[in-house]
Amino acid sequence: MRTDEAAIARWFQKHGLAAGRRTRRGLLASENRDGWLFASPWIAGFVLFTAGPMVASFVMGLMQWDLLSPPQFAGWSNYTRALRQDPLVWQALRITTAYALGSVPLQMVSGFSLALLLNTGVSGLRWYRTVYYMPAVLGGVEVSLLWIWVYQPQFGLANWMLSLVGIAGPPWLASQTWALPSLVIMSVWGVGQSMVIYLAGLQGVPTTLYEAASADGANWWGRFRHVTLPMVSPVLFFQLVMGIIGALQVFTAGYVMTAGGPNNATLFFVLHLYRNAFQYFKMGYACSLAWLLFLYVSALTLLTFRSSSAWVYYETELRT
């Protein structure tokens, strides 16, 4: 009798476990289905508005198309023309790179410096954070129109402030020498956005690390160098990558404030692309320019990621 009961118990145990496995598989399948269902709006948007247009632009880059007549296949001639026959491509690439080399470090240093000041326990932190962030809310066209007035040679704010200390201000946007530096200086206008990110990173540094460094005799520079910088290096890395990508795609300032002038001194790459697409109606050539810019931005971003192992510290990593 006991043998029969043990056999029946084993039978139920065996089939119960099998049913449990089927139940778990059913739950996992249901979770996967729900996950894909919730992600489907983003996937659909990515396919329709990002991946789809990218594929279409690559195909169009192999065509000759003026938006009025049917496109004609041209192979790689658009890319050959851009790299070998259009001197404005290299001019625009040089100007855009120079702008990025000036604006990205300037924004990072100014934003990080403001965050360090606000992280010292100053009273009214929320008020200062709001005041510095508010300029970043304005759109690109509004900011460009505002800075046209600031840089006006006769009655602009910049030259008026320089005149107070006895300096005759330059013509700024009308000067081939000063036009690009003017736009680089203007890029600091939206530094409040990066300041908030830096401030969040600084406030996430454990105070125990500063206490331990002070106990070891470290002064303010030692604490900054060996505690602050390593702990916020992921934030600096994020801001560097996003800054490079954004600076290489600058368009509004050059289009609204200078129209690429004077003498192509502010001819940004995206502005040159825009002109070919919507002024000269060379859509196929413009698409090839877009892909060249994509490859350039991707290469610089990849180099930045490769360099991160030498200077970015992640607290979860084990270093030997």
Side-chain angles (χ1 to χ4, degrees), residues 112 116 119 198-211 223-224 226-235 315:
F112 192 50
L116 287 173
N119 195 48
Y198 288 130
L199 185 59
L202 289 171
Q203 292 181 346
V205 179
T207 56
T208 54
L209 296 179
Y210 292 113
E211 295 171 355
R223 294 192 297 271
F224 175 76
H226 298 290
V227 178
T228 304
L229 284 181
M231 293 302 295
V232 300
S233 59
V235 179
E315 192 174 1

Side-chain angles (χ1 to χ4, degrees), residues 9-172:
R10 286 196 299 271
W11 186 88
F12 276 103
Q13 184 180 13
K14 176 182 177 181
H15 288 274
L17 288 174
R21 293 193 188 96
R22 288 195 297 270
T23 302
R24 285 193 295 273
R25 285 196 296 268
L27 290 174
L28 290 175
S30 177
E31 290 179 356
N32 290 334
R33 184 175 62 253
D34 293 342
W36 284 107
L37 180 63
F38 283 112
S40 59
W42 180 89
I43 295 174
F46 175 78
V47 172
L48 291 175
F49 302 111
T50 303
M54 288 182 66
V55 173
S57 68
F58 178 76
V59 174
M60 199 56 60
L62 304 176
M63 305 286 182
Q64 295 289 348
W65 187 34
D66 60 2
L67 297 177
L68 301 176
S69 58
Q72 297 179 354
F73 182 75
W76 300 100
S77 62
N78 286 328
Y79 294 92
T80 303
R81 175 189 173 189
L83 296 175
R84 297 182 179 179
Q85 302 174 8
D86 188 356
L88 291 180
V89 169
W90 296 104
Q91 169 73 2
L93 193 62
R94 182 179 66 84
I95 293 298
T96 306
T97 304
Y99 174 82
L101 290 175
S103 64
V104 173
L106 183 61
Q107 291 182 39
M108 292 186 65
V109 171
S110 56
F112 192 50
S113 300
L114 286 175
L116 287 173
L117 291 175
L118 295 182
N119 195 48
T120 56
V122 62
S123 59
L125 174 60
R126 294 183 178 180
W127 185 85
Y128 284 112
R129 187 167 51 192
T130 302
V131 168
Y132 283 117
Y133 183 79
M134 283 180 63
V137 178
L138 298 178
V141 175
E142 295 88 340
V143 173
S144 298
L145 294 176
L146 173 64
W147 279 84
I148 288 176
W149 173 76
V150 172
Y151 285 135
Q152 212 286 331
Q154 282 73 37
F155 54 83
L157 181 62
N159 283 354
W160 175 76
M161 294 181 65
L162 290 175
S163 67
L164 297 179
V165 293
I167 299 177
W172 298 110

Side-chain angles (χ1 to χ4, degrees), residues 239-305:
Q239 291 292 91
L240 176 61
V241 172
M242 299 304 295
I244 291 174
I245 295 174
L248 293 177
Q249 298 181 77
V250 62
F251 168 75
T252 305
Y255 179 73
V256 175
M257 299 178 67
T258 62
N263 195 23
N264 294 325
T266 56
L267 180 64
F268 296 123
F269 199 93
V270 178
L271 178 58
H272 184 52
L273 187 157
Y274 170 84
R275 286 178 174 176
N276 280 277
F278 300 107
Q279 292 184 7
Y280 311 143
F281 297 104
K282 299 176 181 178
M283 185 59 69
Y285 183 60
C287 289
S288 66
L289 292 178
W291 273 94
L292 290 177
L293 179 61
F294 172 76
L295 294 176
Y296 184 57
V297 173
S298 300
L300 292 182
T301 304
L302 180 61
L303 289 176
T304 307
F305 270 89

Side-chain angles (χ1 to χ4, degrees), residues 154-220:
Q154 282 73 37
F155 54 83
L157 181 62
N159 283 354
W160 175 76
M161 294 181 65
L162 290 175
S163 67
L164 297 179
V165 293
I167 299 177
W172 298 110
L173 300 177
S175 169
Q176 186 175 345
T177 302
W178 282 97
L180 186 61
S182 301
L183 300 185
V184 171
I185 296 172
M186 190 193 75
S187 66
V188 186
W189 174 265
V191 76
Q193 185 173 5
S194 61
M195 179 209 66
V196 173
I197 299 176
Y198 288 130
L199 185 59
L202 289 171
Q203 292 181 346
V205 179
T207 56
T208 54
L209 296 179
Y210 292 113
E211 295 171 355
S214 299
D216 290 338
N219 56 12
W220 71 269

